Amino acid sequence: PSAVLTGGATLCPGNSTTLQIEITGTPPFDLVLNADGQPFLLITTNDTLITVDVQPTNTTVYSLGSLNSGGCA
């Protein structure tokens, strides 16, 4: 499987933005979203397009961690 993370912005404190993750492969998917290199959110889904609303309190870099599809990495 593969995934692409898009979205994000430079935000003022208290504001939010939406991240979008597009996944290819065979569901179900287990995906880890990292914040500043640390696991932030575990997502288990059958969807190939996911949106995540985030509201960081300081500068945060989001990235994709592990991705498993149908029991395969």
Side-chain angles (χ1 to χ4, degrees):
S2 64
V4 176
L5 173 65
T6 58
T10 301
L11 304 172
C12 294
N15 290 345
S16 64
T17 190
T18 300
L19 306 176
Q20 184 172 299
I21 304 166
E22 187 172 352
I23 307 172
T24 58
T26 304
F29 303 106
D30 290 322
L31 170 76
V32 174
L33 180 64
N34 292 334
D36 291 332
Q38 300 297 315
F40 169 70
L41 182 64
L42 171 63
I43 302 167
T44 299
T45 184
N46 288 317
D47 297 330
T48 57
L49 185 61
I50 302 164
T51 57
V52 178
D53 292 323
V54 294
Q55 188 174 7
T57 56
N58 52 26
T59 302
T60 305
V61 176
Y62 294 95
S63 61
L64 297 175
S66 63
L67 171 62
N68 295 312
S69 171
C72 299

